Amino acid sequence: MKTLAYEIQLLLRDRAAWVLTALFAFVLVYALNQGVELAERQRESAKTVLDASRTFDGQVREALARQAIDPRQLARQPLSAVLPPAPLPLLAVGQADLTPAFEAVSLWRLQTPTDARVEIENPSRLLAGRFDLAFVLVWLFPLFLLALAYDLLAGDRESGVLRMVLSRGVSPRKWLAIRALARGAPILALALAATWMSASWGGVAADTSNARLLYACGVVAAYGVFWLAIAALVNGLARSAAAAATAVGAVWVTVVLVVPTLLNVVVESLHPMPSRAELVASAREASGDAERRGNEVLNSFYRDHPELAPPGMQVDFAQRILAVQDEIRGSMDPVRLEFDSQLAAQQELVELWRFASPAIAAHEALTDLAGTGYWRHRAFRDQVEGFKQSVYDFYSPRIHKNRPLTKSDVAELPRFEFAEEPVERWTSRVTLSIAGMLALALLAALLAGSRLSARKLAASSS
Amino acid sequence: MLEALQLTKRFQERLAVDGLQLRVAPGEIYALLGPNGAGKTTTINMFLGFLAPDGGEAKVCGVSVAADPVGARRKLAYIPEQVALYPRFTGVENLDYFSALGGKSHTRAELYELLEGAGLPRAAAERRVGTYSKGMRQKVGIALALATGAKALLLDEPTSGLDPAASHEFSRLLRRLAKDGVAILMATHDLFRAREDASHVGILLGGKLVAEFTKDQLEGEDLEALYLEKLRA
């Protein structure tokens, strides 16, 4: 304990350590503040859409209680599918431009991809990315940690203090572990505090937020331990403080920049995504083609679904549209499936290779926990597809059969309620990420340990 | 007690220490003389367990350094030519820190007493080591030897670069330690201090111990002449 206390004291007397710690605290507060603004905007958008949706739903129920309504009238109004605010929005704001949290589902345009962006962003801002807590934790946190811990013993080796230390009969591994803990403590503590504050500052949005927060702290701690183990490994090898600084810098660039970029390139090359423009263009083409062949499509539809044919085959505009929609779905399904399967394949590859760089593992885990990552949005998109189907299943037979909606239909009116992923799914993903990072940290620590015998260290000391 | 039993160290083709047989009993000061590259520091490094011998054995108070390097180190203190300390700590903090590393704990009063015993007044002990002279650092090194209650002391060129007064003061402290029963092995070029302080003097040449004298044998002899004669032989 006394050694640890002195190590902390040594750090406290280093002016650079104070400056770095203060700078990191400022960066964290700034990131949290940025997150507050963005999360608030997202929450407002979701609330606005949800309120409008609930008001409309209430009006429909009231109207149906009084009189029967033609389903065409209701089907004209788009229904809202809203992804509720993320459980920990401040942890990782997410990319609303790529993962919209709202979709207007209209019976007349069920098969047309919609541009449901609720946020309009400056392209240069999109290019730079979000300055949110996840960015700071994944990219900058290791830099600050390494700035304090890069010289765990290289400087002592140069000055000769290391020989004095080793002559005291202390275990070099234990001594280095204590020193790494002391050097990493201020930055690690700030990172953990900011992670914890992301809930209180941003508001807890789900029942699982506290559990998610604990896991997030686990991710941050495991990521920090990995970088401290890297610092220990580098110090076991480097003969001078300058060499150690260069080496930890090179490892940071490799782990945080090079490997994720390479993985991105590999993922894009192996599973290229069809362009969204292509998706929209093919939808338009399919729609135009189906509309041109209107009567043919309609006859074909009723041949396939004779049970839906209206009495006397008196067909109106709405029935024609529904038949056309069905035809478009047939043409669009392969394109959409390819889009989804490529996206899933990409994510699968990222999941598989995330441990090639703990930065990827940490980022995936943090966005997963925040509820702004791939998995929650994937669940939202899947549920929106299901919702579209239920809208179609509800209205289609009633419109084809010209059956008005009555009070008895109220209970069956389609309504979108997002069901969160079961807890065990995200916990197993995140636990694996934490375990993977700790395993890599252990590997680095074992390698460092093999370099940390008193004999080897003394041989390389002045 | 410090013992070298046929201690041998080879660096590639060169024999740095060649079958060194040496014994420093409690209360003795053994001065190991020799030119640069004679194997003095290599011998000290083998006693510290920083170098593995290629043959023979080094023992500290009966503990084999090869078998139990940490246990052996806990029984000795080491003062290099430059006592490297943490410049941001004061003298007393450095003493406390290095004592704690060796598993020893002292009260502040004890630490000041130890430093004063080593010739470092309280006012100096409260100053940061960054402002210390070499002699003051050596005193902290001596205080550390006192603080750990080491039974053996290894010194590598301890008086090199010290002014005569500081060197004299240092010798006085060494003699005091020896009187307390500490076995002291000192690698040095300082023939004057060796003659004055050592109970035994050994001359190391090309890794071999070519001559050994007791203080009595040196009585009335010119150590410098003896040393140069051995070097020329």
Side-chain angles (χ1 to χ4, degrees), chain B residues 166-182:
Chain B
S167 181
H168 173 78
E169 172 74 4
F170 189 75
S171 292
R172 189 187 62 77
L173 292 166
L174 277 194
R175 285 200 293 269
R176 199 188 109 190
L177 281 169
K179 207 171 166 189
D180 290 346
V182 178

Side-chain angles (χ1 to χ4, degrees), chain A residues 169-184:
Chain A
V170 66
S171 151
R173 294 178 186 96
K174 190 177 160 196
W175 176 66
L176 195 76
I178 290 172
R179 175 162 282 190
L181 181 68
R183 297 276 172 98

Side-chain angles (χ1 to χ4, degrees), chain A residues 289-302 320 323-328:
Chain A
D289 180 57
E291 276 162 17
R292 267 193 306 278
R293 298 185 294 111
N295 285 338
E296 186 194 328
V297 167
L298 193 65
N299 290 335
S300 161
F301 178 81
Y302 285 133
R320 186 187 293 264
V324 165
Q325 287 284 315
D326 204 61
E327 176 74 5
I328 295 172

Side-chain angles (χ1 to χ4, degrees), chain A residues 121-139:
Chain A
E121 283 286 11
N122 183 318
S124 65
R125 187 163 170 170
L126 287 179
L127 186 68
R130 300 276 194 203
F131 197 95
D132 60 3
L133 191 57
F135 167 77
V136 173
L137 292 174
V138 173
W139 289 58

Side-chain angles (χ1 to χ4, degrees), chain A residues 238-261:
Chain A
R239 284 173 180 251
S240 68
T246 309
V248 293
V251 176
W252 181 84
V253 168
T254 307
V255 172
V256 177
L257 297 178
V258 177
V259 176
T261 308

Side-chain angles (χ1 to χ4, degrees), chain A residues 6-7 13 156 163 168, chain B residues 45 86 93 96-97 148:
Chain A
Y6 268 115
E7 288 294 342
R13 291 192 187 168
D156 282 357
R163 281 177 72 85
R168 303 306 311 131
Chain B
N45 279 340
Y86 286 108
E93 285 168 342
D96 197 20
Y97 176 77
T148 51

Side-chain angles (χ1 to χ4, degrees), chain B residues 60-231:
Chain B
V60 178
C61 302
V63 178
S64 165
V65 178
D68 182 9
V70 172
R73 278 196 283 268
R74 291 258 162 141
K75 291 187 183 301
L76 58 78
Y78 165 62
I79 301 179
E81 182 184 349
Q82 298 278 351
V83 175
L85 302 164
Y86 286 108
R88 287 201 191 98
F89 281 161
T90 63
V92 71
E93 285 168 342
N94 264 295
L95 180 60
D96 197 20
Y97 176 77
F98 281 101
S99 300
L101 283 182
K104 300 277 179 185
S105 191
H106 298 280
T107 62
R108 265 296 139 125
E110 286 169 342
L111 291 168
Y112 282 119
E113 203 175 304
L114 286 162
L115 285 164
E116 275 165 2
L120 200 69
R122 194 183 174 115
E126 284 173 348
R127 265 180 24 220
R128 288 203 182 178
V129 162
T131 64
Y132 279 19
S133 66
K134 184 178 174 183
M136 291 165 86
R137 285 164 182 263
Q138 300 290 63
K139 284 173 184 171
V140 178
I142 291 281
L144 189 54
L146 294 168
T148 51
K151 293 290 168 213
L153 179 60
L154 297 169
L155 301 137
D156 195 359
E157 310 281 1
T159 52
S160 146
L162 288 186
D163 64 52
S167 181
H168 173 78
E169 172 74 4
F170 189 75
S171 292
R172 189 187 62 77
L173 292 166
L174 277 194
R175 285 200 293 269
R176 199 188 109 190
L177 281 169
K179 207 171 166 189
D180 290 346
V182 178
I184 300 172
L185 175 63
M186 169 169 70
T188 184
H189 290 296
D190 189 341
L191 297 177
F192 175 73
R193 288 264 68 97
R195 163 116 213 182
E196 286 292 303
D197 303 332
S199 55
H200 292 73
V201 174
I203 299 175
L204 204 59
L205 205 57
K208 264 188 177 312
L209 193 62
V210 294
E212 215 174 5
F213 309 99
T214 62
K215 197 171 181 70
D216 293 342
Q217 285 169 330
L218 288 173
E219 197 67 47
E221 294 284 341
D222 182 352
L223 178 60
E224 189 176 28
L226 285 171
Y227 177 66
L228 291 173
E229 188 186 311
K230 290 290 171 192
L231 248 61

Side-chain angles (χ1 to χ4, degrees), chain A residues 46 64 119 121 131 134 136 157 198 212 216 227 244 251 257 274 277 291 297 348 357 363 365 398 428 441-442 444 456:
Chain A
L64 280 174
E119 289 180 40
E121 283 286 11
F131 197 95
V136 173
R157 181 179 281 179
S198 70
R212 284 172 185 267
W227 283 106
V251 176
L257 297 178
E291 276 162 17
V297 167
E348 212 170 283
S357 158
H363 188 261
R398 288 171 172 81
S428 66
L442 184 66
K456 281 181 181 163

